[in-house]
């Protein structure tokens, strides 16, 4: 049987030379005259980015990790020619080092269920026939031939699908509102702005399976009565733009886009609009302004886009992952979809797992999977065996969840009940070495940078909030500052114009709620328990010093003295806390206190 070599062509793997690996494989296939016996292709992201570049070989489903171009010859000679495994490239179970040849047996994948990512890592995203070969565009055909617009809405409603862009609004209801808005012209938009720090699920879907989004947008256009659609995508996603552009072209060529689609009287065109990478442009009204060529600033709602959106016309805006679920819901039915998940959150959710967890990457799990399962069974636990401290879900709009809530089944409502939110699916894991004041500062700094400045509570209030946090991490804050932090947070939440400002204080409020003692330690005792806040640190040299003089030579403040082969001393009145000595000491004789 012919062997197919699949090489991950997502952004993560391509940045680790997977395209060079593909070229090398293709060259070797010709060199060894193996064209009849095997072929090599790129695919979309397999999610296990930490182990990339990943190579899969069918039909045995062999899974090789961290494969470099120089490994290609061994794979060809051993796997393809001799039909033997290249053991050194197989995934090894941490701890036991047991080799696991097949993807399905790797713990990272065992609890995953790939619905939105179903084709990523399987098909070549640049070949429309591969999408069609996996059942692609059947759902569009089914909708156009068999279902009325109302019937499609009923299927989406029955499926229980809720928006994956952050708000979790029921998708079928949104489609119904937009369909029922009377207008001669309507628009369909895909929100591919993806500004949350650490999130890359939408990018991976567009890179790995762009046709699923095109198909869903065409179905949406048929349902609401639109002839034109746009994918609003940030310009920093060049690979996604390239693949989506190719996919739109191919769909047009075979009559999936354009006039009289599949021989019916339904016509739909699709284009791309590029965002300049401003987080606020992901907010739907700001996005619409940006597409119209105006400043990307939010407008008050109502009116909602479903009644007055692009150019004042009814507009349907959904997220990339939301769209990616649509064709498979139509093909397999609402009941199939709503049998997965919890009572009020159906289907799966893709998370971008990052931070201090062993297996970093994209993870798609049924709603209702617990955080513990994601972090430990899929994520492989905390790096270097350290203690778990918190996980930030929902990005800058979300909050931290602590160890006592690790068994919470994840869905939209339970995360809100724990003081966080689903958001678009960013999941950043923290351990004992993270300072929660510093984490709150990080997210607030991000929202401050990204605030459009249109309304005062967000523009000025968040700045003041940030200043109070800086006072705390500098050891200059009082108990009154702590109270002000909470009061001001609540005022900003209540009075900001859009959800960016309304949610900006969430990381502050959630870290104070769960880690008040840590805040108090900074304020009352001028100590940072995690030893992160530099102003509250002192570097000291212990008796382990061998007097190599390295630190004295590195120190930019020239505040380290000592003779050769004698214990050195730091003058802390001059130290600027740069940490160069700490990082440079060969015998770890310098400690933080
Ligand atoms: C500041 C801000 C940024 C947002 N960024 C995104 C984004 O990058 N992608 C996205 O789909 N939704 C984003 N949203 C949510 C959108 O406004 C909108 O709710 C979503 O695109 C609707 O699609 P859905 O119903 O499929 O989730 C953002 C909202 C806010 C307030
Ligand atoms: S809340 Fe912030 S981002 Fe939103 S409109 Fe006001 S200033 Fe702009
Ligand atoms: S680098 Fe370390 S061992 Fe060398 S003098 Fe400095 S403290 Fe001592
Ligand atoms: S932290 Fe920086 S400034 Fe302070 S002693 Fe070390 S090298 Fe010098």
């Amino acid at each position: 049987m012919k062997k197919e070599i699949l090489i991950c062509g997502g952004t993560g793997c391509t940045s680790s030379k997977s395209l060079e690996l593909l070229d090398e494989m293709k060259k070797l296939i010709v060199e060894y005259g193996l064209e009849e016996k095997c072929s090599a292709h790129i695919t979309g992201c397999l999610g296990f980015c930490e182990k990339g570049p990943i190579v899969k070989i069918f039909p045995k489903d062999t899974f090789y990790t961290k494969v470099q171009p120089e490994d290609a010859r061994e794979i060809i000679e051993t796997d393809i020619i001799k039909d033997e495994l290249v053991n050194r490239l197989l995934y090894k179970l941490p701890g036991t080092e047991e080799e696991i040849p097949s993807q399905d047996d790797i713990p990272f994948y065992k609890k995953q269920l790939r619905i939105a990512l179903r084709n990523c890592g399987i098909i070549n995203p640049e070949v429309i026939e591969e999408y069609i070969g996996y059942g692609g565009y059947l759902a569009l055909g089914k909708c156009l031939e068999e279902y009325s617009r109302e019937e499609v809405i009923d299927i989406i409603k029955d499926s229980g699908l809720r928006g994956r862009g952050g708000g979790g609004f029921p998708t079928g209801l949104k489609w119904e509102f937009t369909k029922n808005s009377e207008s001669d012209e309507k628009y369909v938009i895909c929100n591919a702005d993806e500004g949350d720090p650490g999130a890359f699920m939408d990018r991976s879907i567009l890179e790995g399976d762009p046709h699923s989004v095109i198909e869903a947008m065409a179905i949406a256009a048929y349902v609401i009565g639109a002839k034109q659609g746009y994918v609003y995508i940030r310009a920093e996603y060049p690979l996604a733009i390239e693949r989506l552009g190719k996919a739109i072209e191919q769909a047009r060529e075979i009559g999936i886009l354009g006039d009289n689609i599949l021989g019916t009287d339904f016509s739909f065109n699709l284009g791309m609009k590029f965002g300049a990478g401003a987080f606020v442009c992901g907010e739907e009204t700001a996005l619409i302004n940006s597409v119209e060529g105006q400043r990307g600033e939010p407008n008050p709602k109502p009116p909602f886009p479903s009644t007055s959106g692009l150019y004042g016309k009814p507009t349907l805006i959904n997220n990339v992952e939301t769209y990616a679920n649509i064709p498979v819901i139509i093909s397999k039915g609402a009941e199939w979809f709503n049998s997965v998940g919890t009572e009020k959150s159906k289907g799966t959710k893709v998370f971008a797992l990052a931070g201090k967890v062993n297996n970093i990457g994209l993870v798609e799990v049924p709603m209702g999977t617990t955080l513990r399962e994601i972090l430990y069974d899929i994520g492989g636990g905390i790096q270097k065996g350290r203690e778990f401290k918190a996980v930030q879900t929902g990005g800058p709009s979300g909050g931290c969840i602590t160890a006592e809530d690790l068994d919470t089944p994840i869905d939209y409502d339970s995360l809100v009940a724990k003081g966080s939110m689903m958001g678009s699916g960013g999941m950043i894991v923290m351990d004992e070495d993270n300072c929660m004041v510093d984490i709150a500062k990080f997210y607030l700094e991000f929202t401050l940078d990204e605030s459009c400045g249109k309304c005062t509570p967000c523009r000025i209030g968040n700045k003041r909030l940030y200043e109070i946090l800086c006072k705390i991490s500098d050891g200059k804050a009082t108990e009154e500052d702590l109270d002000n932090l909470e009061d001001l947070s609540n005022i900003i939440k209540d009075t900001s114009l859009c959800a960016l400002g309304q949610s900006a204080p969430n990381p502050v409020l959630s870290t104070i709620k769960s880690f008040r003692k840590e805040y108090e330690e900074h304020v009352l005792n001028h100590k940072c328990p995690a030893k992160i806040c530099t102003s509250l640190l002192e570097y000291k040299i212990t008796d382990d010093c061998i007097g190599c003089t390295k630190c004295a030579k590195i120190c930019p403040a020239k505040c380290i003295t000592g003779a050769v082969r004698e214990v050195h001393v730091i003058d802390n009145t001059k130290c600027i806390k740069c940490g160069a000595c700490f990082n440079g000491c060969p015998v770890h004789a310098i400690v933080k206190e």
Side-chain angles (χ1 to χ4, degrees), residues 259-521:
D259 292 337
N260 302 108
I261 291 171
L262 301 176
T264 65
D265 55 7
F266 167 60
S267 301
F268 177 60
N269 281 302
L270 188 58
M272 284 188 277
K273 295 277 180 185
F274 304 117
F279 178 56
V280 73
C281 285
E283 196 282 337
E284 53 196 13
T285 58
L287 184 154
I288 287 169
N289 283 332
S290 173
V291 173
E292 288 176 355
Q294 303 182 52
R295 283 175 70 120
E297 287 178 344
N299 293 338
K301 288 189 279 190
F304 290 94
S306 54
T307 48
S308 176
L310 189 61
Y311 308 117
K313 306 288 181 187
T315 302
L316 177 77
I317 302 190
N318 276 130
N319 163 263
V320 173
E321 190 185 331
T322 314
Y323 280 126
N325 279 294
I326 298 285
V328 70
I329 290 175
I330 304 285
S331 299
K332 295 196 174 182
E335 271 173 35
W336 165 80
F337 188 80
N338 72 28
S339 68
V340 178
T342 63
E343 196 194 335
K344 290 187 180 156
S345 301
K346 299 297 183 187
T348 55
K349 177 75 194 91
V350 185
F351 292 99
L353 193 56
K356 304 280 185 61
V357 67
N358 279 317
N359 300 334
I360 286 168
L362 269 196
V363 166
E364 182 171 359
V365 285
M367 300 273 193
T369 305
T370 65
L371 278 165
R372 189 183 301 281
E373 288 173 291
I374 296 183
L375 264 45
Y376 288 90
D377 299 346
I378 297 172
I382 310 303
Q383 284 173 4
K384 299 179 189 157
R386 293 226 192 273
E387 191 79 20
F388 166 80
K389 186 167 187 177
V391 55
Q392 168 88 15
T393 69
S397 313
C400 286
I401 298 196
T402 57
E404 67 186 43
D405 289 324
L406 273 182
D407 291 311
T408 305
I410 300 180
D411 62 25
Y412 289 99
D413 313 298
S414 62
L415 286 178
V416 171
K418 299 289 173 200
S420 187
M421 62 185 288
M422 182 88 79
S424 64
M427 200 174 258
I428 309 219
V429 182
M430 292 156 227
D431 71 5
E432 59 202 273
D433 291 339
N434 286 104
C435 163
M436 301 320 277
V437 177
D438 189 60
I439 293 294
K441 257 171 80 178
F442 167 80
Y443 282 109
L444 202 61
E445 198 172 1
F446 174 81
T447 29
L448 255 189
D449 276 353
E450 299 291 337
S451 163
C452 78
K454 185 170 175 173
C455 65
T456 318
C458 173
R459 187 182 65 245
I460 298 177
N462 280 318
K463 179 86 179 134
R464 296 288 95 86
L465 213 52
Y466 183 70
E467 285 165 1
I468 300 175
L469 285 176
C470 289
K471 268 175 92 179
I472 295 174
S473 63
D474 284 346
K476 294 179 183 153
T478 60
E479 279 180 273
E480 199 187 350
D481 286 316
L482 265 188
D483 295 337
N484 286 343
L485 201 63
E486 285 185 290
D487 291 345
L488 186 56
S489 291
N490 289 320
I491 293 169
I492 295 169
K493 271 172 80 86
D494 291 344
T495 53
S496 289
L497 171 62
C498 86
L500 187 146
Q502 288 157 10
S503 62
N506 284 354
V508 179
L509 287 171
S510 113
T511 48
I512 297 191
K513 184 171 162 259
S514 303
F515 297 94
R516 192 166 191 105
K517 274 212 170 76
E518 201 166 315
Y519 272 84
E520 285 171 352
E521 194 64 8

Side-chain angles (χ1 to χ4, degrees), residues 3 59 66 99 133 158 165 184 238 268 285 298 303 328 514-515 537 555:
K3 286 193 170 183
K66 298 201 173 186
E99 288 162 354
D158 291 347
D184 50 341
F268 177 60
T285 58
V328 70
S514 303
F515 297 94
L537 286 183
C555 176

Side-chain angles (χ1 to χ4, degrees), residues 541-542 544-552 554 560 563 566-568 581 584-590:
I541 298 180
T542 66
D544 292 339
C545 169
I546 52 169
C548 71
T549 75
K550 210 172 168 184
C551 56
I554 300 172
I560 304 181
E566 282 181 12
V567 174
H568 281 46
C581 56
C585 175
V587 294
H588 307 292
I590 303 181

